[in-house]
């Protein structure tokens, strides 16, 4: 059999290279759709059998909790922090995560806790419930099934908060912190479990809903209009200045609570708190106000990270916090597709939030006659 001409072999090779390039380009263009398909449970939520409910009377149901016994000393923080963590569970077989999912728990301990609960270690004793969080897939679609999964997750957060109040709070001032999915759930918690109960609301030093949309015309509690204002809400969703499509995506895809249901903003403006100013404000905050960004990923729990000052400027535009690109490469998005769709593995406002929360706790204690907190 005669050998193929060299030109023919080159043509075949070029065709193979072109085919591979087309497949790679298609995979890149439709990567979100491919990812959604892989993470889709492919079962209606109505027929889904969720994982067992957590028992918040047991230590295993809490990702973070003070050590026992809590010994009083001069360094003991004066308040508590109820922390609702962000999405760490990708999805696949489940709409909602089992609380003992190993991969999700590792991501919380190694990335989310040090970066987002870490700024509040000096503010108060931290109580972070494990809850049957809605999967990452539910944040990538507006299907009714996904909304139902997120509503389901709220039941765990509310149960954990009630247990915290009944068994651990003992009249202490407290701060509520929620991040991303946890921020949306904490928004409803503030409306139904805090604002609706004056005796609880009186002990709230402040609430931080990070990377979370809350409607400016009907926030669950009054917005923070100045530093050291207590009992108020600091909520914001952020986008880098060189991401022109991101702000509109936030406005189009974010869901807010209405009568216990999740719905779109429908043109309503989000609340926009600027962490560099310590207030809801449209003023521009220059980078010189940035007290300290940090990448705390991988740090031992409670360890204080090295702060990077003057990393970003920030201003609220159209209800979205527009942030300049940080100067340090350690404060830039990285990781897989799924990693980039979760809360970032760094906190641009780490020291700013710590200082802000301490000020609000101090203001509450100075201006309100609260019972002397118990330590146990």
């Amino acid at each position: 059999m005669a050998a193929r001409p060299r030109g023919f072999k080159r043509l075949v090779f070029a065709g193979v290279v072109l085919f591979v390039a087309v497949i790679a380009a298609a995979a890149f263009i439709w990567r979100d759709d491919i990812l959604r398909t892989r993470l889709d449970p492919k079962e209606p939520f109505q027929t889904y059998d969720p994982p067992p409910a957590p028992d918040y009377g047991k230590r295993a149901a809490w990702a973070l909790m003070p050590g026992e016994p809590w010994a009083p000393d001069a360094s003991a923080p004066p308040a508590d922090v109820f922390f609702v963590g962000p999405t760490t569970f990708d999805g696949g077989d489940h709409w909602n995560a089992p609380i003992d999912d190993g991969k999700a728990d590792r991501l919380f301990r190694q990335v989310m806790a040090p970066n987002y609960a870490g700024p509040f270690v000096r503010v108060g004793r931290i109580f972070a419930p494990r809850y049957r969080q809605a999967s990452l897939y539910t944040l990538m679609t507006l299907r009714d099934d996904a909304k139902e999964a997120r509503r389901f997750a709220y039941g765990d957060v509310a149960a954990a908060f009630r247990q915290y109040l009944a068994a651990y709070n003992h009249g202490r001032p407290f701060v509520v912190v929620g991040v991303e999915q946890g921020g949306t759930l904490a928004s409803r918690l503030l409306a139904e479990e805090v604002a609706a109960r004056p005796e609880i609301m009186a002990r709230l030093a402040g609430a931080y809903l990070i990377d979370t949309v809350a409607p400016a015309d009907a926030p669950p509690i009054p917005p923070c209009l100045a530093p050291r204002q207590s009992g108020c809400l600091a909520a914001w969703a952020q986008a880098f200045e060189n991401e022109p499509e991101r702000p509109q995506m936030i406005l189009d895809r974010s869901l807010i609570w209405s009568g216990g249901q999740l719905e779109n903003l429908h043109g309503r403006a989000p609340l926009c708190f600027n962490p560099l100013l310590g207030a809801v404000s449209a003023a521009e905050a220059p980078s010189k106000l940035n007290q300290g960004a940090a990448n705390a990923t991988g740090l031992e729990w409670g360890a204080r990270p090295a702060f990077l000052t003057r990393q970003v400027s920030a201003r609220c535009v159209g209800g979205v916090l527009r942030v300049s690109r940080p100067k340090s490469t350690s404060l830039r998005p990285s990781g897989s597709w799924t990693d980039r769709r979760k809360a970032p593995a760094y906190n641009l406002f780490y020291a700013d939030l710590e200082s802000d929360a301490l000020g609000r706790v101090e203001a509450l204690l100075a201006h309100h006659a609260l019972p002397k907190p118990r330590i146990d």
Side-chain angles (χ1 to χ4, degrees):
M1 183 176 181
R4 296 284 188 183
R6 182 173 297 177
F8 177 79
K9 292 181 180 179
R10 289 176 177 172
L11 183 62
V12 170
F13 178 76
V16 170
V17 171
L18 179 62
F19 176 77
V20 171
V22 169
I23 294 297
F28 180 80
I29 293 171
W30 291 301
R31 62 194 184 281
D32 285 350
D33 293 331
I34 294 170
L35 180 60
R36 287 191 189 96
T37 300
R38 181 169 64 84
L39 299 181
D40 186 349
K42 300 177 178 63
E43 176 185 4
F45 186 83
Q46 287 75 10
T47 62
Y48 169 63
D49 185 19
D55 179 356
Y56 292 109
K58 297 180 178 178
R59 178 65 182 84
W62 297 86
L64 295 172
M65 180 181 260
E68 297 290 345
W70 180 259
D73 60 57
S75 64
D80 290 343
V81 177
F82 187 81
F83 179 84
V84 189
T87 306
T88 56
F89 178 71
D90 292 350
D93 294 334
H94 287 282
W95 284 103
N96 293 81
I99 67 165
D100 59 354
D101 183 84
K103 181 180 177 182
D105 191 61
R106 284 192 299 275
L107 182 60
F108 178 86
R109 288 186 288 104
Q110 296 173 5
V111 178
M112 303 307 178
N115 283 297
Y116 295 102
F120 301 92
V121 166
R122 294 191 174 189
V123 177
R125 307 184 304 172
I126 296 182
F127 295 82
R130 292 187 168 99
Y131 66 98
R132 289 172 292 180
Q133 61 177 268
S135 69
L136 177 64
Y137 173 74
T138 69
L139 277 65
M140 301 172 67
T141 176
L142 296 176
R143 288 172 51 186
D144 287 342
D145 287 326
K147 295 178 184 178
E148 288 299 314
R150 296 171 72 177
R151 288 182 64 243
F152 179 84
Y154 173 74
D156 284 358
V157 173
F161 185 72
R162 292 173 193 143
Q163 176 66 18
Y164 157 71
L165 288 179
Y168 305 115
N169 178 261
H170 301 307
R172 294 166 61 86
F174 68 96
V175 174
V176 172
V177 180
V179 184
E180 187 241 15
Q181 173 179 177
T184 302
L185 302 177
S187 178
R188 182 175 173 185
L189 186 80
L190 290 168
E192 297 184 2
E193 301 290 334
V194 179
R197 302 170 64 184
E199 74 282 6
I200 304 302
M201 184 67 192
R203 302 205 298 272
L204 179 70
Y208 298 85
L209 305 185
I210 301 168
D211 199 14
T212 303
V213 164
D217 58 357
I221 60 174
C224 293
L225 301 179
R228 299 185 65 84
Q229 173 189 352
S230 62
C232 63
L233 176 62
W236 72 96
Q238 68 189 51
F240 288 120
E241 288 179 343
N242 63 347
E243 295 178 323
E245 298 178 358
R246 173 73 175 161
Q248 191 59 49
M249 185 182 300
I250 290 172
L251 299 177
D252 291 343
R253 300 191 65 83
S254 294
L255 299 176
I256 58 173
W257 295 101
S258 177
Q261 302 293 329
L262 284 164
E263 62 176 33
N264 294 89
L265 275 168
H266 297 304
R268 298 164 69 183
L271 192 70
C272 187
F273 174 87
N274 191 325
L276 301 186
L277 299 176
V280 173
S281 171
E284 184 169 3
S287 60
K288 67 180 181 180
L289 298 180
N290 187 198
Q291 297 180 49
N295 185 329
T297 295
L299 287 185
E300 182 180 352
W301 173 243
R304 196 164 174 78
F307 291 143
L308 300 169
T309 60
R310 299 175 175 240
Q311 285 292 305
V312 294
S313 60
R315 60 179 179 141
C316 289
V317 180
V320 177
L321 186 69
R322 303 304 304 271
V323 183
S324 64
R325 278 287 175 181
K327 300 168 186 175
S328 171
T329 57
S330 69
L331 302 173
R332 295 178 185 173
S334 62
S336 65
W337 289 345
T338 53
D339 291 337
R340 287 172 177 262
R341 282 155 181 79
K342 299 188 182 86
Y346 52 81
N347 191 332
L348 299 177
F349 308 110
Y350 192 112
D352 306 275
L353 292 175
E354 179 185 76
S355 175
D356 190 89
L358 284 170
R360 297 188 196 280
V361 171
E362 291 171 0
L364 179 69
L365 292 173
H367 296 101
H368 296 272
L370 295 179
K372 186 176 181 179
R374 284 169 53 184
I375 300 296
D376 57 349

